[in-house]
Amino acid sequence: MATEPEPQGPARLPLGPPAQGGRRPAARGTGLAAGRIVAPTAVQAVPGLPVRTGDSTPEWLEPAMAANGIGSFDWDIRRDLIEADQRACAIIGVAGGRLDRSAESFLTLLHPEDAPVVRRRVERAVAELGQCGAYYRTVFPGGELHAVRFRGRVLADAFGRPSRMVGFVWDATAELHKREDADRQAALREERSRFIKEAARALSEAVTVRDVARVFTELPLPGLPPDGLVLAALETGRLKILGASGYRHEDVTVYDRAPLEPFQPAAEAVRRRVPVFLSSREEYRERFPQAWTRAATTGRSAWAFLPLVASGRAIGLCVVSFDEARELDTDERTLLSTLGGLVAQSLARARLHDAEHELAAGLQRVMLPRTVPAVPGVTTAVRYLPAGSGLQIGGDWYDVVPLPGGHVGLVIGDVQGHDVHAAGIMGQLRIALRAYAAEGHPPAAVMARASRFLADLDTDHFATCTYAEVNVDYGVVYAVRAGHLDPVVRRTDGSSCVQSVVGGLPLGVSADQSYQVTRFSLDPGDTLVLCTDGLVESRRMDLDTGMGRLCTVVSGELPPRREGALDPLEELADRIAAGAADSSEREDDIALLLLRWDGPEGGLAAQQLRRRIGQADLARVAELRGELRDALRRWGVAELIDTAELLASELVTNAIRHTDRDAMFTARLYREDGREPRLRIEVEDESDLWPKRRTPGEQASSGRGLMLVEALADAWGVEPRGTGKRMWFELTAGEAG
């Protein structure tokens, strides 16, 4: 006969409800029908755990069974009657010491999950005239759960039909508990292994010290959930609390930045670099009496002080505490020690990262302007976004420089490289360029001098840069570009476009490089956007696509300016910065500079234009004509542009040709009640020679200046000054043309 293999315990048996009793169908021969054992008689045999009475137990076997707590059973299959001895009844949990019932009623004594398993095994043994055995659980009358193991054999009658099953039962509760404990320990070990893996992953992703503290204080320790966690760093003999959970604030603050005194358990753990475990309040008080007074107020009853050791030195401490007294076993202590090692490595790495970041941030703060000066008539906003890798420092910079005459200079640049050397060069170049601009040099000269300065440094670095001088009076921009990006202009209607600026070589490439100036105008409320290439270019995005995206971000509606609310220009700067790549993916640092030309109230430009014309600076005359055109258009007297430009050119040219000193040009628009606007243009010089009106010949190339002034101006004249003279003319807007 085949013997059924030993079961592995109820926890591994398939589950299912026991079969319910009911009408027993007639049987034919021996076999299985409808999942029940069919006896050779008309009585159906229901599978179950049979037991037998002690009256058939041989006398020589009884002492051995009694000594080992083994009971016997006897199941009469034909009559479906189970009998058991007293020991079997005690093991099964039947009161009264007597069992005399059917198999179906006996199955009701079993745990609902185990009854189907026992039924299937008994059915198979009956069908095969073989043996069977299993673990099963029974619930005693008092509610306790016990485990029983049985082994039985089916006996046949003279005709080879199953007649009886006889066997033994014995208590397996201890064995079951042992198995359950083993399974529980195996599950706990697996859970701890999984916890170590998850903790290692979480701590490896922690970048800053704050991240490490957050991860540590949120760790769910398996099998020993702590009631309190503290993470502290060791700094010059003091503990700096980085994070804590499960403690009142006042219980933690008393230790924050307090000296690590030698009588404390934390000091012993740090000094010896081995964990200190205290399983009870009594042990704490006995081993560290001087420290107990303060520790007693926390309400804890067990502690683990774990030193954080990295590179052979203690850098901090973890404290794990419990409300109840607890003796940690070897596995628990190993788990905590392993956790301490993971936290130590992560904390050391995070402290290094924070130190590097603070160094980079401090250096960048020194290199960049601390504040942007306020200039009447314009509003500025700046942003600096470090790269997402390395020291997070680079050569990008911005600057706003107040200039003589109420102008303002804007600088945006990027020194080649992404390291401390590039940042140092950037600082030197920023200061030099600011000095050149503040001296009053025109934009082209400022850029040429800056290029020569960088070339003379002999650093093998170059820099791209855009410098723009903004005339605050009437919104004209004079821009110079040295290998940098074109600026973007946002108009008051929400549209935006790239403003083309004539470019030159980057700074430092050639000491003799010259640059051209591009002139364009802003309307009141227009915004000039300057940025470095980190905002619009990356390995995944080309420059044209990036500039298009920038224009899209710059465009659109902005909230109106309201008192007490954030300026719309700041919101626009935030919008542009938010459109940049995430800091973890950003490959280059980004400098961003925005300027909005506000103009005077009412949206009209200031109605006075005053410029000095250098005696040898003939190119300035052409620039002056352009400034005058813009000024008259913004003042609302565009009909005077052609005449005023022609006559102003004559007076300025006459002043610089016939003197050896600079000339001062002034244009003013007067608005008087009830009268048309009147434009007065004056040119002052230091010559005592007065102009003479004369009629030139047909072949003469000069001498017509005063004739034009006299013919086209509404009024003109020459006025003496202390030294020199002032020539002037006036035009009335309503009478022009």
Side-chain angles (χ1 to χ4, degrees):
M1 299 183 186
T3 302
E4 184 171 341
E6 285 291 329
Q8 298 301 314
R12 294 186 175 88
L13 298 178
L15 305 180
Q20 302 298 321
R23 183 183 178 194
R24 299 179 180 178
R28 298 178 182 177
T30 303
L32 295 175
R36 298 177 181 272
I37 301 175
V38 180
T41 66
V43 179
Q44 180 186 2
V46 180
L49 179 62
V51 285
R52 101 181 257 273
T53 57
D55 54 6
S56 60
T57 303
E59 294 183 0
W60 61 269
L61 185 59
E62 180 63 25
M65 294 177 61
N68 290 277
I70 299 176
S72 61
F73 67 86
D74 188 339
W75 174 33
D76 189 329
I77 298 176
R78 296 182 179 182
R79 293 188 300 140
D80 189 21
L81 180 64
I82 301 174
E83 297 178 338
D85 61 15
Q86 293 184 356
R87 284 191 299 273
C89 291
I91 294 170
I92 296 171
V94 176
R98 176 176 178 78
L99 180 64
D100 186 3
R101 62 177 63 193
S102 67
E104 188 68 27
S105 63
F106 174 76
L107 288 176
T108 61
L109 300 176
L110 276 61
H111 192 282
E113 296 175 356
D114 299 341
V117 179
V118 173
R119 179 192 299 275
R120 287 193 299 269
R121 296 191 177 190
V122 171
E123 284 178 346
R124 189 168 61 207
V126 171
E128 298 175 355
L129 292 177
Q131 301 180 19
C132 67
Y135 286 105
Y136 64 84
R137 291 166 292 178
T138 62
V139 180
F140 277 31
E144 318 90 65
L145 185 66
H146 284 246
V148 177
R149 183 173 180 179
F150 82 90
R151 171 66 65 181
R153 183 185 183 97
V154 177
L155 304 177
D157 59 9
F159 300 100
R161 296 173 299 187
S163 173
R164 298 161 60 121
M165 174 180 281
V166 295
F168 305 99
V169 295
W170 61 94
D171 188 88
T173 303
E175 185 177 352
L176 179 63
H177 289 171
K178 183 178 180 180
R179 288 176 176 269
E180 291 177 347
D181 289 342
D183 291 341
R184 191 162 45 249
Q185 290 298 324
L188 183 57
R189 283 194 296 270
E190 182 179 354
E191 184 181 1
R192 288 173 177 172
S193 177
R194 186 167 54 250
F195 165 76
I196 289 296
K197 293 178 181 179
E198 290 297 322
R201 181 193 58 79
L203 289 170
S204 67
E205 295 176 355
V207 178
T208 66
V209 171
R210 184 187 298 271
D211 294 337
V212 175
R214 175 184 53 79
V215 171
F216 173 73
T217 54
E218 294 177 357
L219 286 176
L221 293 173
L224 64 162
D227 299 296
L229 289 171
V230 178
L231 177 64
L234 185 61
E235 296 181 355
T236 62
R238 296 174 181 266
L239 288 179
K240 177 184 178 182
I241 305 299
L242 303 178
S245 64
Y247 281 92
R248 296 174 301 178
H249 179 71
E250 55 271 20
D251 291 337
V252 176
T253 53
V254 295
Y255 292 98
D256 191 21
R257 301 186 185 279
L260 191 61
E261 299 169 315
F263 55 79
Q264 296 176 329
E268 180 175 332
V270 169
R271 183 178 63 256
R272 298 176 55 195
R273 301 178 189 174
V274 294
V276 173
F277 298 100
L278 302 174
S279 59
S280 64
R281 298 169 68 88
E282 292 73 18
E283 183 180 359
Y284 194 123
R285 185 167 51 247
E286 180 181 349
R287 293 181 58 183
F288 304 97
Q290 292 178 276
W292 170 246
T293 303
R294 181 181 294 177
T297 61
T298 62
R300 300 289 188 255
S301 299
W303 298 262
F305 296 87
L306 311 174
L308 304 180
V309 181
S311 301
R313 64 186 187 91
I315 63 172
L317 183 76
C318 293
V319 181
V320 181
S321 60
F322 306 90
D323 286 344
E324 303 296 332
R326 182 177 190 132
E327 181 70 38
L328 300 177
D329 59 28
T330 302
D331 289 342
E332 291 171 336
R333 295 189 178 195
T334 301
L335 175 68
L336 292 178
S337 299
T338 303
L339 176 62
L342 293 176
V343 174
Q345 297 302 318
S346 182
L347 181 60
R349 185 178 61 254
R351 291 176 67 178
L352 180 60
H353 172 275
D354 286 357
E356 291 178 345
H357 181 75
E358 182 60 28
L359 173 63
L363 182 58
Q364 198 75 51
R365 284 193 298 267
V366 172
M367 296 300 180
L368 293 175
R370 293 177 60 86
T371 58
V372 176
V375 178
V378 297
T379 303
T380 56
V382 295
R383 296 290 186 274
Y384 177 81
L385 305 176
S389 60
L391 285 179
Q392 298 186 336
I393 188 172
D396 291 20
W397 90 96
Y398 58 81
D399 207 352
V400 177
V401 187
L403 302 176
H407 290 199
V408 61
L410 306 179
V411 185
I412 194 86
D414 183 3
V415 175
Q416 170 199 12
H418 187 69
D419 51 23
V420 176
H421 191 199
I425 296 173
M426 176 267 286
Q428 297 179 73
L429 184 58
R430 183 182 76 84
I431 294 172
L433 198 147
R434 182 182 182 91
Y436 296 145
E439 288 176 354
H441 297 289
V446 170
M447 196 69 84
R449 288 172 180 248
S451 181
R452 187 177 304 110
F453 171 82
L454 182 56
D456 291 342
L457 288 179
D458 193 22
T459 62
D460 294 329
H461 281 64
F462 63 85
T464 62
C465 181
T466 293
Y467 173 69
E469 180 179 326
V470 181
N471 187 319
V472 180
D473 291 337
Y474 54 93
V476 174
V477 181
Y478 302 93
V480 181
R481 187 166 63 88
H484 202 72
L485 304 175
D486 286 319
V488 173
V489 176
R490 183 187 190 277
R491 301 297 180 184
T492 53
D493 61 359
S495 63
S496 64
C497 63
V498 177
Q499 175 63 53
S500 179
V501 175
V502 177
L505 292 176
L507 304 180
V509 173
S510 173
D512 300 323
Q513 175 67 25
S514 60
Y515 297 90
Q516 298 184 42
V517 177
T518 300
R519 175 181 165 278
F520 58 93
S521 302
L522 300 175
D523 292 323
D526 286 353
T527 300
L528 183 63
V529 180
L530 303 175
C531 68
T532 54
D533 58 356
L535 180 64
V536 295
E537 190 175 22
S538 67
R539 287 181 295 180
R540 295 181 296 274
M541 180 174 61
D542 59 64
L543 182 59
D544 292 338
T545 302
M547 292 298 290
R549 288 179 54 181
L550 176 60
C551 290
T552 301
V553 173
V554 170
S555 303
E557 293 293 330
L558 287 175
R561 279 181 277 180
R562 298 187 302 272
E563 185 177 356
L566 185 67
D567 192 285
L569 190 68
E570 295 290 341
E571 296 191 12
L572 178 60
D574 290 338
R575 181 198 299 177
I576 297 173
D582 182 74
S583 61
S584 60
E585 302 176 357
R586 196 161 48 242
E587 302 166 357
D588 194 5
D589 49 341
I590 297 172
L592 179 64
L593 172 58
L594 285 73
L595 176 139
R596 182 184 65 229
W597 182 56
D598 299 323
E601 294 187 19
L604 295 176
Q607 297 180 340
Q608 174 175 303
L609 175 63
R610 187 174 177 83
R611 292 290 178 269
R612 177 174 294 277
I613 309 299
Q615 206 280 330
D617 191 6
L618 298 181
R620 188 65 167 164
V621 178
E623 296 178 4
L624 179 63
R625 288 198 295 266
E627 293 182 5
L628 180 60
R629 287 195 300 269
D630 286 330
L632 296 181
R633 184 176 63 253
R634 298 184 189 285
W635 295 349
V637 287
E639 65 272 21
L640 299 181
I641 289 178
D642 293 337
T643 303
E645 182 181 356
L646 175 61
L647 301 186
S649 297
E650 291 295 333
L651 294 189
V652 171
T653 303
N654 184 73
I656 63 176
R657 284 186 61 187
H658 298 291
T659 65
D660 57 357
R661 302 290 181 88
D662 294 350
M664 180 61 70
F665 174 89
T666 304
R668 296 187 183 90
L669 185 68
Y670 296 93
R671 298 180 183 272
E672 301 173 357
D673 294 340
R675 301 181 63 180
E676 296 293 336
R678 179 168 53 90
L679 175 66
R680 181 182 176 93
I681 293 180
E682 301 173 350
V683 178
E684 300 176 7
D685 60 57
E686 298 182 2
S687 174
D688 294 328
L689 296 177
W690 284 57
K692 295 181 180 180
R693 180 182 179 279
R694 59 188 177 87
T695 303
E698 294 181 359
Q699 303 299 320
S701 60
S702 62
R704 297 182 176 86
L706 290 184
M707 293 179 60
L708 291 174
V709 174
E710 183 179 27
L712 299 178
D714 295 323
W716 72 282
V718 182
E719 300 174 355
R721 300 174 62 246
T723 55
K725 60 184 180 297
R726 176 190 297 120
M727 296 183 63
W728 60 272
F729 68 86
E730 294 183 355
L731 298 174
T732 304
E735 300 176 2

